[in-house]
Amino acid sequence: MPNLSGKHISYWIDSTPSANFPPLSDNLSVDVIIVGAGIAGITAATLLKRAGKTVAVIESKQISTGVSGHTTAKVTSLHQLIYADLIKNHGEEKARIYAQSNQAAIEFVAKTVAESQIDCDFSRQSAYTFTETEDNLKDIEKEVEAALKLGLPASFVRETSLPFPIAGAVKFDNQAQFHSRKYLLHLIKQIPGDGSYVFENTRVLKVEEDTPCRVTTDKGIIQGQDVIVTTNIPITDEGLFFAKTFPKRSYIVGARISADKAPQGMYIGSGEKYYSIRTTPDAGGLLLLVGGGGHKVGTVENTEEKYLDLENYTRSRFGVESIDYRWSTQDFVSVDKIPYVGKLTPLSQHTYVATGFSLWGMTQGTLSGMILADTILGIKNAAADLYDATRATPFVTPKGIKQTLDVGTHWIGDRLKGLGKNLDDVAVGEGKLVTVDGEKVAAYRDEAGEIHALSAICPHLGCVVAWNSGEKSWDCPCHGSRFSCNGEVLHAPTVKNLKKF
Ligand SMILES: Cc1cc2nc3c(=O)[nH]c(=O)nc-3n(C[C@H](O)[C@H](O)[C@H](O)COP(=O)(O)OP(=O)(O)OC[C@H]3O[C@@H](n4cnc5c(N)ncnc54)[C@H](O)[C@@H]3O)c2cc1C
Ligand code: FES
């Protein structure tokens, strides 16, 4: 294993305290149950409580330690290159609603921070999507044109404060960045009291719509008039959101940089291989965050290479002093580029979801919370129809078809992996698929030489998990469930651990 630099933890989590909410201990009843405490769930809970509803937020781990605790935390409507595509595939009216609703989410965050004086390193910044080659310049120019048509604060620039030349960039003015976990911890602390609750370390196992709805957890049952499932990808299989999105994993390093060498603003490259760049204030200095290396979950085993690539890029492009952090996370990409927000299925009356933020959930998760709160409060939200979670599914798009075929290939093809390999073939520090008594086993040998043997069959829908060496986890290539090397759930959609073998 290569020697990787930096602490293996998200900077956002490392620089904030635990919230220490209790687990559920008694059955109870509230107006609205919110499953999952990331940015989507916490925003919805905040708005509902402000409107006088009683809420219970249930989190399987700790508040904002999922994707929202591992993000790059740019708050922008510049989603790499999207507006020319949206106009082409969905029409100008829908593209305009997408643009305006994401801009509204930025302003919601800004207003919330200002009104409650939240100490979360919020600052207004310009956002850029750049290309270093003339070949991609046409796409950049098309994006500027599309964004201007939609009323977005866009311009074309050739000069930036990046320490290397670019061919051109789309620039959006008056965007923002923040410390996502400081922001979310502040919001969640306003929830408990007056009949509302927050529970950590409480895993939801089942959501049933009835009058009232029933949410079964590993610690008890909660009843409510409405349920919002904001577990990044819904843990409920109805609605088939795992088939309308695909899970994309990506990597971040945090490097110490002096102010005179740090770029101003937030950046992302265009094209297939790209890097995402921003700084954040830390302990009187600055950390430069550089992200990249994205791939479909469960399709890359040697993920240490992703960190090495980021480290090399960061050291060679910026005069950094040290690499202090490295972490990774994943988000679900909507195949038609628009998130799914609203009722779980066309028949649902009281169960809501939000997913498919396509790595832009700081705005899209915020606006999901706004839409879902409005819907439950009976307020017409102008963006709700665009994001309707029950809209016609895009299985017929080339990306949708490929995703379905990929899952089929994994379901069948991965069953052949590990044949002829046994536990002796697993080296120290390594995870491998092996066969024991004819069964497919996911085996990891820890540094002390002890084997941790688990069933390799994902409890979600039965695909075979794959080893992720950088995180020492078992990742499912079908719909992105992840498990620790001891088999505990790390990421939805599954709610069940891998069986111990
Ligand atoms: C590398 C990377 C960088 C990114 N950078 C940006 C960026 O700069 N700007 C931007 O806008 N977006 C960014 N994103 C996307 C953004 O971070 C996500 O879209 C957003 O954080 C998702 O929020 P969420 O609320 O859906 O999920 P989460 O934050 O993951 O919250 C879901 C919660 O549900 C909990 N949960 C799961 N299962 C259960 C269960 N059974 N019971 C109870 N609780 C459960 C989880 O533990 C988790 O805490 C990035 C994404 C990636 C992968
Ligand atoms: S995540 Fe669906 S089968 Fe594993």
Side-chain angles (χ1 to χ4, degrees), residues 316-358:
S316 67
R317 292 298 184 95
F318 301 89
V320 299
E321 291 156 19
S322 56
I323 305 279
D324 291 7
Y325 289 95
R326 73 186 143 89
W327 71 87
S328 75
T329 186
Q330 69 194 46
D331 204 15
F332 285 77
V333 178
S334 162
V335 289
D336 71 356
K337 301 199 170 176
I338 296 176
Y340 292 92
V341 186
K343 294 215 168 115
L344 171 65
T345 70
L347 295 179
S348 306
Q349 294 296 322
H350 297 283
T351 316
Y352 302 88
V353 293
T355 190
F357 303 151
S358 307

